[in-house]
Structures are given as C-alpha cells and as structure tokens.
Amino acid sequence: MKQISLNKSISIEFTKNKFLISLSLLFIVTGLNYFYISYGDLPKGQEWQMIFSSIPFLNTMLISIMMSVLASRCIDIENKGNMWNTLPTLESRKKLFSSKLLFGLIHIVLFCFIQIIMILYLGIKMMIGGGFPIFALLQTEFAEIIFGMIIFQLQCLLSLKFRNQFAALSIAFGGTLAGLFIAFVSKSALTPWSVLFSLSTVTMDYDSATRNMLLSWNAIDIKAIFISFLYFFVTYKLSLSVFNNPETGNFKIAHVNRKSKNAHTVLPAELIKMKRNPVWIPFALIPLISAGIGIINFLSNQGVLSFDWANLWTQESLFLGLFFLSPLIAILASLDFRMEHLGTNWNIMLTSSSRFKVLKDKWLTVATMSSICMIWIAFIYIVSGKLIGITGSIPNEFYLRIFASILCIIAVSSFQCMLSLIIPSFAIPVGLAFLGNILGLLLTVKGFFYATPFSMLIYSMGSTNITGEINLPVVIITCLLYTFISFAIGLLYLNRTDIKTGR
C-alpha cells in the first residue's frame, strides 16, 4: 500500500483543522500581545527592558491557551471520527504524530515571526533609543518556541488520554494558572507552564521603600535551558508512547454498573449527561487554586497591601476574574453540546424535543452550574478571610458585585452556548472565550465595559477594586440584551440549519 508522505500528512492536518480558523486565532493572539506590551508609558532609558519583561507574563497565558486549543482540536478530530484504527493502515503512527507536532510547530513559529515584526514596529513607532537588544529577542523567541511545543505535546498527551477534552482543557487552565503563580514565587521552571518565565531575559527588582521597579538584563541560565529541554523530551516521549498504543482513542474510565432508571423521572437530560462527567472538579479546584495564590500573595505583600477585605478580594479573584472564569464557563458549554455533535445525536434529540426546549435546557444547565461556581468563589473568600484573621465587616459592594457577576455569568453562558452550538469543535469556543476575556479586559480598562459579555463580567467582579462604583442598571440591561440576542441567534440557527450536514 502506498504510504502518505509527511508533506501530504501536514497538508491533511491543515485541511482537517481549517487553517483559516487557526490563522485567525494566531492573529488574535498576536494582536492582544501587541496591545498589552504597548499599553502604558515605558520608563525612560529602560524601554526595551520593559517590553521584554512584559512578554513572558502575557505569553505564558496566551501561548499556553493557544497551543492547548490547537492540540486539543488536532487530536479531537480523530477522537470524534473514531479514526485511530483506520489512519495507521495508511501511514505509520510515528509519522502521523510527527505531522501533528509539525502542525503545532508551524503555528508557534508563525507567532514568533509576527511578534518580531511587532516588536520592531513598536521600537520605530515609539522612537526607542539605544541599541536594539538582538540577543534578548533571539532568546525570547527560542523560549517561546520551546515553551509552545512543550505545552502542545503535553496537551496532545492529555487529549489522547481524555477523549471528551473536558479534563484535558481543564488541566490546561489549572496548570496555566498555577504555573503563572509559581513563576512569581520561583524563577525555576517547577511546572511546564513556568518554562517561559524561567527563560526570561529581564530581571525585575522591586524596592518596597521607594516603590520603584529596577529592570536589568539576565545572563544565560544554563540550568533553565536544560530543564526546558528535559520537559520537551519527556512530553515528546510520553505523548508518542501513548500515540503508538494500538488502543489510542479507546480510553475509558471504568465505572460501576448501575440499574438503569427512567431519565424523565430522575434528572433532566442535560443534568444526566453532566452526572457522568467530573464537571465539578475544575469548578471546585480552580477557584481554590486562585484563592490559595491570592492568600499567599496577600500575606506576602503587607508592606504594600492593607490587611482588609477589599485587598484580599483583589488578590483572590484577580487571575480568576480577569482571565479564567469565562473560559471555565466555555468548557462547560462545549461539554454540554459535545454529545449532540457526535454521530447523528442531533437528529435524535430534535425529534424527541422542541428546539426551544433543547437550547433552553442547555443554557439553564450551564448558567446554573456556573452561578453556583460564583457562589463558591464568594464562600471561599469569606471563609479564608475569617481564617487569616481579617476583622471588620465585608464591604457592602461585595454582595452587590456577586449579584451583578451572576447576571453576567448568565449572559456569558448564553453566548458560549450559542458558540458551542454553531461551532462543533470542543476547543475553539473555549479558546475564543479566553481571547474574549483578554479583549474584555482591554475594553474595561478603556471604559467600554458594556462592549462584550466578557468585559461585563470583569467589570462586575471588581477584581482590581471591589469598592469601586458599579452601574447596576447598565449591567442588568446589558446582560438581558446579550442573553436575549445570543439565545435568539442560537434558536434561529437551530431552526434554519441542518446541523448534521451544516447546510
């Protein structure tokens, strides 16, 4: 039998994954990268140091999420089509896996190439003096490529082991959050998600007395380079080993057989689907991780922060509110729609129930579970504050913001349900939620908090200032509007589109 060449395999990967979609994701990520590093004033005489110190912080999240989404989509296509037994008859497993890795490598190299152009343009636009730090640029690009491939390989491994992608992407978000915090505590790459920080070209020294930040160039860290290559080869070997397993794609979690019950007399259909998935794990653990990071940072910076409820909230909810809550909702929405996107399940579902009820039940399930997560976040905040001994009353604005946040969560849930309905991929709506969150943060900073559901959630949570004024009437009206529009578009799509054929 004639085998498929590696070039042909790469072409097939780009065709399956719709290069236009991944290219759009790539340009959105680099666009957000540009807006972040160009935002604000650069300190005189340390412009280049400030630019190169900003890159690892945002790209630890952006590259991690981008490569996780690409890897998840790259593997999930075969998972959904049950193609793992067919493909090895056309080509060796190693070559198939190599084509997937090359697919990821092409994307991270393109990202780095666009970023180089962006940095050069920024230097010319801002007329930054002094010599251009070419070595820092090359070291940064190397760090991003090795970091991107580590995350891509790791996510391939997780996506192979967990077919529904829920656990894989939840680990990706939890790992990114934990790795980001660990990077602030230790310069060593204690997790794969901390590699980019460990290879940073700039050291930041904060003087608490003067509150000045001194930036200086790093020397080459041989130990950090060695650890990064170690992560690279370990993730490569593990993912290749799983890929070569003849049972790839057939991993199942054993469960105890139970007597079947009438679904209509026990739980609604959407909750029955969720019952068999460990959806509560990331919704319980990621807020706990965020709170733990916040408490440690809160107690470690009492020279800068006041020992009160307002400052504790900013530390506990910062990363969760600004970056990770909306993607968590997106993961839940993708999971809720995943079963219908497999096989002919849409045909079965729509012959047994009305389109309005199907969409309503899914939206209510996602909104309810996400709202419970918001209540859990509030509970952790109150209990942790009591445990560490904060006195005084909790600001009244806190309860108002929790209420407003739940309204925004309902709107985000409606929007993500619409995306997961229209886009069959599990990972793409999640990636769009993360990018939407970054864009929402920029819009909130500019004062346009009402522009997207994501910016509304960031504004309502008040992760940077809980006692700040909140315009509740605008929040209520805007959330109702986003909820109605998203639901209407989803219902129109169900009524006008043959979901099975996409026509």
Side-chain angles (χ1 to χ4, degrees):
M1 181 181 293
K2 184 179 179 181
Q3 291 192 330
I4 300 172
S5 67
L6 184 59
N7 290 339
K8 183 64 175 176
S9 297
I10 293 297
S11 176
I12 291 172
E13 288 299 328
F14 278 103
T15 301
K16 287 189 303 182
N17 288 281
K18 297 181 181 178
F19 184 57
L20 184 60
I21 293 177
S22 56
L23 190 65
S24 300
L25 179 65
L26 184 68
F27 276 105
I28 291 171
V29 168
T30 50
L32 292 172
N33 185 279
Y34 172 78
F35 283 117
Y36 176 77
I37 66 175
S38 62
Y39 180 78
D41 297 325
L42 299 176
K44 278 292 182 183
Q46 292 192 314
E47 293 91 345
W48 287 122
Q49 288 94 329
M50 179 58 74
I51 288 174
F52 282 95
S53 69
S54 301
I55 289 174
F57 174 75
L58 188 66
N59 284 352
T60 291
M61 292 182 290
L62 288 181
I63 292 178
S64 176
I65 299 304
M66 180 180 75
M67 299 306 284
S68 295
V69 167
L70 290 173
S72 177
R73 179 170 172 78
C74 199
I75 298 296
D76 194 40
I77 289 176
E78 277 79 11
N79 281 341
K80 291 172 68 175
N82 293 318
M83 298 164 61
W84 294 117
N85 295 326
T86 304
L87 288 175
T89 65
L90 304 174
E91 188 52 271
S92 70
R93 289 179 181 271
K94 187 171 183 179
K95 187 172 286 187
L96 287 170
F97 188 62
S98 297
S99 67
K100 293 184 181 295
L101 294 188
L102 192 52
F103 173 81
L105 180 63
I106 289 171
H107 281 84
I108 189 62
V109 169
L110 280 174
F111 171 84
C112 290
F113 177 73
I114 297 171
Q115 184 176 249
I116 289 173
I117 296 174
M118 177 188 71
I119 291 172
L120 293 174
Y121 170 74
L122 195 61
I124 295 171
K125 178 184 176 182
M126 295 186 173
M127 295 182 291
I128 300 175
F132 181 78
I134 183 66
F135 186 78
L137 177 65
L138 295 176
Q139 186 176 337
T140 298
E141 302 305 316
F142 160 78
E144 290 179 341
I145 290 173
I146 194 73
F147 171 67
M149 290 310 297
I150 289 170
I151 298 301
F152 188 84
Q153 291 171 169
L154 178 61
Q155 197 62 34
C156 282
L157 172 63
L158 293 171
S159 297
L160 285 164
K161 294 294 289 184
F162 303 103
R163 290 193 61 183
N164 68 7
Q165 304 304 294
F166 172 76
L169 286 173
S170 297
I171 293 171
F173 282 116
T176 302
L177 178 59
L180 194 63
F181 169 70
I182 290 171
F184 284 105
V185 176
S186 172
K187 195 175 182 301
S188 300
L190 300 179
T191 72
W193 294 276
S194 308
V195 164
L196 189 55
F197 263 107
S198 72
L199 296 172
S200 174
T201 59
V202 177
T203 297
M204 295 182 287
D205 294 316
Y206 179 74
D207 189 339
S208 57
T210 61
R211 296 193 176 185
N212 290 328
M213 183 73 73
L214 181 63
L215 305 173
S216 57
W217 295 112
N218 276 336
I220 297 177
D221 190 337
I222 300 299
K223 179 183 175 182
I225 294 174
F226 172 78
I227 292 175
S228 65
F229 275 112
L230 182 63
Y231 277 127
F232 177 85
F233 286 115
V234 169
T235 54
Y236 172 76
K237 285 295 184 182
L238 287 176
S239 52
L240 179 60
S241 174
V242 173
F243 196 88
N244 282 330
N245 188 322
E247 297 301 319
T248 293
N250 294 316
F251 300 100
K252 295 181 180 179
I253 300 175
H255 60 274
V256 179
N257 290 326
R258 296 180 174 90
K259 293 178 64 177
S260 62
K261 298 180 181 179
N262 187 330
H264 297 287
T265 61
V266 183
L267 291 172
E270 300 307 319
L271 291 180
I272 290 174
K273 288 193 301 184
M274 294 298 177
K275 181 182 176 183
R276 298 299 183 188
N277 287 281
V279 294
W280 57 272
I281 294 176
F283 277 89
L285 289 184
I286 290 182
L288 276 175
I289 294 172
S290 179
I293 292 171
I295 291 169
I296 294 172
N297 198 47
F298 176 74
L299 295 175
S300 302
N301 291 278
Q302 282 305 297
V304 179
L305 302 172
S306 300
F307 195 75
D308 56 26
W309 288 102
N311 279 281
L312 178 64
W313 175 254
T314 62
Q315 299 306 301
E316 285 197 10
S317 68
L318 185 63
F319 286 116
L320 193 64
L322 298 186
F323 301 111
F324 292 101
L325 185 55
S326 292
L328 266 180
I329 299 171
I331 290 176
L332 182 58
S334 285
L335 178 65
D336 200 24
F337 279 86
R338 180 177 176 80
M339 187 176 292
E340 281 69 34
H341 285 310
L342 297 175
T344 58
N345 287 336
W346 270 119
N347 297 336
I348 298 171
M349 175 68 77
L350 295 179
T351 56
S352 62
S353 185
S354 70
R355 286 164 168 77
F356 177 83
K357 184 177 186 305
V358 168
L359 191 58
K360 179 203 70 174
D361 287 351
K362 290 182 178 294
W363 165 58
L364 287 176
T365 300
V366 175
T368 300
M369 295 189 68
S370 302
S371 298
I372 292 172
C373 179
M374 190 68 232
I375 296 171
W376 169 238
I377 293 168
F379 175 78
I380 294 171
Y381 165 69
I382 294 171
V383 170
S384 62
K386 296 289 186 182
L387 289 175
I388 63 175
I390 297 180
T391 57
S393 59
I394 299 171
N396 293 328
E397 293 86 354
F398 167 73
Y399 300 103
L400 188 63
R401 287 191 177 277
I402 294 299
F403 171 71
S405 297
I406 290 175
L407 293 179
C408 295
I409 282 172
I410 292 171
V412 172
S413 299
S414 181
F415 183 79
Q416 286 301 140
C417 283
M418 177 196 71
L419 287 182
S420 294
L421 167 66
I422 297 172
I423 303 173
S425 168
F426 190 105
I428 287 179
V430 178
L432 292 176
F434 185 81
L435 296 176
N437 229 42
I438 302 291
L439 178 61
L441 176 59
L442 296 174
L443 290 169
T444 304
V445 169
K446 295 289 187 180
F448 303 110
F449 64 89
Y450 46 81
T452 70
F454 308 105
S455 54
M456 288 291 297
L457 181 55
I458 292 170
Y459 169 76
S460 296
M461 282 190 71
S463 295
T464 56
N465 182 13
I466 191 177
T467 58
E469 183 181 353
I470 180 170
N471 193 331
L472 191 59
V474 171
V475 170
I476 294 172
I477 293 171
T478 309
C479 286
L480 288 174
L481 185 63
Y482 281 128
T483 301
F484 174 78
I485 291 174
S486 299
F487 192 89
I489 292 173
L491 190 60
L492 182 65
Y493 180 82
L494 271 178
N495 286 327
R496 297 289 182 88
T497 306
D498 181 348
I499 296 181
K500 177 60 184 171
T501 62
R503 295 177 184 174

